[in-house]
């Protein structure tokens, strides 16, 4: 009798009749945020486990967390400091270069890992129900953990090159906080795109490398300001990677005075963190139902 009573009803009508809801339906943004916060321990544990696993097969293990940026700094110093002589006019170029490399690598690694965070974890996504934003956020936390380990080496380099230890070093905390929010937002934005277009992961290293060359990692924007149009200079000052590089150098290096910073740099950094974090989060949430399907 029940089957006959249901004959002719559309699927939506059947669902309404028996109180059925769509499996995996996207929750409201406030509820999604609450679910994400409730899984904060999972995010941290997942990031820590991935960090350990990344170096488990290497003979030197987690020493590579420190060795990788140091080797990069040595190569870039050889090319840009000695061969191309970009160190002219920049006091303490070794500390200047290392700070830029360590800071930019945090953004670079978070973006690249975020791009693959959905497409590289399809098995986990299809097996368990959880807010998918956990994955790009955990990738950002993973890269932050790597940076914090590397910061001890960076601090030693800065001190050994003659920079003093001052209270300005405390500015590293708000700088890293704003950069982490920015990186997480960018990682979520690219995670959604990377889930749809898997070839994006192959293209991103070239985009990131171009971004690095434009972000004052090897050169000082002040040294170019007299030789470039005002419009180009303004665009350079708005580059978020350049902004975080400048803030980190200002915090750690007494040879980088406040007068060398771009105008309204803290407000601009805060603006980038809010815009990237907010837009990336909402953009990722809007496709929550699509991840892992197809």
């Amino acid at each position: 009798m029940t089957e006959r009573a249901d004959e002719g009803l559309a699927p939506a009508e059947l669902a309404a009749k028996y109180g059925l809801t769509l499996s995996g339906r996207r929750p409201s943004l406030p509820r999604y945020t609450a679910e994400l916060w409730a899984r904060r321990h999972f995010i941290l544990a997942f990031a820590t486990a991935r960090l350990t696993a990344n170096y488990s097969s290497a003979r030197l293990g987690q020493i590579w967390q420190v060795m990788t940026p140091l080797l990069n700094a040595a190569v870039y110093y050889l090319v840009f400091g000695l061969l191309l002589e970009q160190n002219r006019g920049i006091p303490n170029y070794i500390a200047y270069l290392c700070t830029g490399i360590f800071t930019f690598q945090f953004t670079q690694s978070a973006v690249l890992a975020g791009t693959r965070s959905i497409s590289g974890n399809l098995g986990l996504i299809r097996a368990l129900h959880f807010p998918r934003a956990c994955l790009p956020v955990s990738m950002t936390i993973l890269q932050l953990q790597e940076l914090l380990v590397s910061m001890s080496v960076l601090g030693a380099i800065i001190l050994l090159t003659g920079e003093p230890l001052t209270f300005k070093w405390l500015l590293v905390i708000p700088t890293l906080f704003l950069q982490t929010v920015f990186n997480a937002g960018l990682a979520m934005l690219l995670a959604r795109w990377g889930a749809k277009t898997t070839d994006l992961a192959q293209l991103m290293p070239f985009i990131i490398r171009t971004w690095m060359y434009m972000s004052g990692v090897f050169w000082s924007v002040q040294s170019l300001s007299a030789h470039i149009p005002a419009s180009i200079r303004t665009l350079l000052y708005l580059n978020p990677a350049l902004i975080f590089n400048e803030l980190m150098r200002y915090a750690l290096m007494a040879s980088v005075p406040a007068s060398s910073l771009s105008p309204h740099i803290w407000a601009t950094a805060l603006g980038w963190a809010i815009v990237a974090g907010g837009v990336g989060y909402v953009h990722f949430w809007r496709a929550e139902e699509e991840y892992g399907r197809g």
Side-chain angles (χ1 to χ4, degrees), residues 86-131:
Q86 291 295 314
N87 56 337
R88 292 182 178 180
I90 301 178
N92 197 355
Y93 184 71
I94 293 178
Y96 187 93
L97 176 65
C98 289
T99 304
I101 290 173
F102 278 64
T103 305
F104 185 83
Q105 187 169 347
F106 176 31
T107 296
Q108 170 183 288
S109 301
V111 169
L112 293 178
T115 304
R116 299 182 175 91
S117 61
I118 298 298
S119 59
N121 291 284
L122 291 179
L124 180 63
I125 290 172
R126 291 166 179 168
L128 300 174
H129 176 71
F130 60 93

Side-chain angles (χ1 to χ4, degrees), residues 1-10 14 17-18:
M1 293 295 292
T2 303
E3 293 180 359
R4 290 183 179 179
D6 292 340
E7 288 181 0
L9 294 179
L14 284 171
K17 180 178 178 180
Y18 292 102

Side-chain angles (χ1 to χ4, degrees), residues 211 214-215 219 221-222 224-243 246 261-265 268-269 272:
W211 190 16
M214 299 173 61
S215 300
W219 46 268
V221 67
Q222 287 75 29
L224 297 179
S225 59
H227 309 287
I228 57 178
S231 58
I232 301 299
R233 185 166 61 249
T234 300
L235 289 176
L236 287 175
Y237 282 140
L238 290 175
N239 180 354
L242 174 66
I243 289 170
E246 285 195 326
L261 300 179
S262 56
H264 313 294
I265 188 169
T268 309
W272 271 117

